[in-house]
Amino acid sequence: ISDDNTEAFGPGVIDNKGGIVVGLWALQKLQSTPHAHGVELWVMPEEEIGSPHHKQWLKDHSKEVNLSLGLEPALDDGSIIHSRRGNMWVELSCLGPGGHAGRDAERVPHPAHQLIQTLAPLLDPTPSHPRAHYTLTVGSFRTNTEGYNAIPAQARARLDLRFDTFEGKQAAEERIQQAFADSAIEPKITENCPPFPKPQNIDRLLTHFCAHLSRVESRPIESQHAFGSSDTNNIARPDLWAIDGLGPYGSGLHTEQERLWIASLETRSTALAQAISTLPVMIDLP
């Protein structure tokens, strides 16, 4: 805690613990406030690694709700989040016997060369149509050797694909499949997080939540797109209204300098409770 008690510091102080506090405080406030909705607080223990053991649970249970409110941190300027990119992580591995770079160059398969040749077409510009757009980044490329004078026996690469829409996700998956269709290299998808596109007809609901936040925090609050993913991506579906970024704000997420503006725990929980309690008046939920 800072000397003036305005900030808290530490791993996950905003991007994990802070959102849970906002949710619990909002529930406490709702206990003394009349409202017409059943409210559940879901806390995922492995959200930071993509909730691999809870993806299906989230998908199944999201069918029982008609509004999802994510308590991930607000954006740096306090904005809430109306959409997020999805991501797909792919591991590639190519094996060979290894050898001497001089004597064996023309007779021994070279795993690194094979992997590079297969990857090269993927690095061409991706489809330009906005509904099929995605980005691809080679996150790492390694062999089992370092330096010179050797043909490696193994080459590995990791790809990071990002997409804004379900069409973009499909285009990315198809391109990966096509690239390795005639190759001995078998791509292994280690993470496949769907996108969270902005729900249709949600503008009035976004205005409702932004208005409560703006009033409580005495500053204009808007909604924006975020480029990272969260568990809201695993919950989102075309007929479900969802908003994220309703948690506290601060800075330095995922760094040693992660910090939380302590006052935002109170303002965010107060605005969240007020927005939920007035939903029957303002919004006709789908």
Side-chain angles (χ1 to χ4, degrees):
I1 305 292
S2 62
D3 293 338
D4 59 1
N5 293 321
T6 61
E7 296 178 279
F9 305 87
V13 69
I14 178 176
D15 195 22
N16 190 321
K17 305 174 182 70
I20 297 174
V21 172
V22 168
L24 292 173
W25 285 11
L27 287 177
Q28 289 179 345
K29 298 174 191 299
L30 283 169
Q31 287 179 344
S32 58
T33 304
H35 61 94
H37 299 291
V39 181
E40 296 182 358
L41 177 63
W42 299 352
V43 180
M44 295 294 106
E46 50 180 6
E47 187 272 340
E48 289 296 344
I49 58 172
S51 296
H53 299 97
H54 289 84
K55 283 184 182 292
Q56 192 60 46
W57 188 95
L58 287 166
K59 182 178 180 181
D60 292 342
H61 284 70
S62 71
K63 298 174 183 177
E64 303 170 3
V65 303
N66 54 15
L67 175 60
S68 171
L69 302 174
L71 298 176
E72 282 286 293
L75 298 181
D76 290 349
D77 63 355
S79 295
I80 61 176
I81 297 166
H82 59 58
S83 58
R84 288 182 176 275
R85 302 195 90 183
N87 62 279
M88 181 168 64
W89 296 341
V90 183
E91 288 187 356
L92 306 170
S93 179
C94 187
L95 304 177
H100 188 282
R103 296 185 178 187
D104 301 323
E106 296 183 357
R107 65 185 185 88
V108 170
H110 198 305
H113 290 184
Q114 293 177 17
L115 191 51
I116 291 171
Q117 289 170 356
T118 307
L119 281 176
L122 288 173
L123 302 181
D124 290 340
T126 55
S128 58
H129 194 288
R131 291 178 62 81
H133 179 67
Y134 62 89
T135 60
L136 183 150
T137 300
V138 179
S140 68
F141 191 101
R142 299 180 180 179
T143 69
N144 67 310
T145 62
E146 295 185 6
Y148 305 99
N149 208 33
I151 296 174
Q154 184 181 71
R156 293 181 179 273
R158 289 181 174 177
L159 309 182
D160 189 322
L161 297 99
R162 308 274 172 151
F163 28 78
D164 292 324
T165 64
F166 288 101
E167 291 86 353
K169 180 177 184 293
Q170 182 179 356
E173 292 172 339
E174 290 175 352
R175 199 164 195 214
I176 290 294
Q177 294 171 357
Q178 293 170 359
F180 296 95
D182 299 322
S183 170
I185 303 171
E186 183 175 350
K188 178 183 178 182
I189 298 176
T190 61
E191 167 69 359
N192 199 357
C193 179
F196 159 36
K198 184 179 179 181
Q200 294 183 352
N201 304 318
I202 199 174
D203 287 340
R204 191 175 177 214
L205 182 63
L206 291 169
T207 299
H208 174 70
F209 275 85
C210 287
H212 280 278
L213 284 164
S214 298
R215 184 174 63 255
V216 172
E217 297 188 347
S218 300
R219 60 177 180 144
I221 299 294
E222 299 179 345
S223 68
Q224 296 187 37
H225 174 74
F227 291 95
S229 60
S230 76
D231 269 334
T232 304
N233 294 60
N234 293 318
I235 295 172
R237 64 176 194 268
D239 61 339
L240 173 66
W241 278 354
I243 302 174
D244 203 356
L246 291 165
Y249 54 91
S251 62
L253 279 66
H254 293 200
T255 72
E256 295 181 358
Q257 292 76 41
E258 186 166 341
R259 64 180 61 195
L260 160 75
W261 290 101
I262 296 175
S264 68
L265 296 174
E266 178 62 31
T267 60
R268 294 278 148 158
S269 60
T270 296
L272 180 60
Q274 291 179 355
I276 292 174
S277 66
T278 54
L279 276 175
V281 177
M282 296 294 298
I283 303 295
D284 294 325
L285 293 175

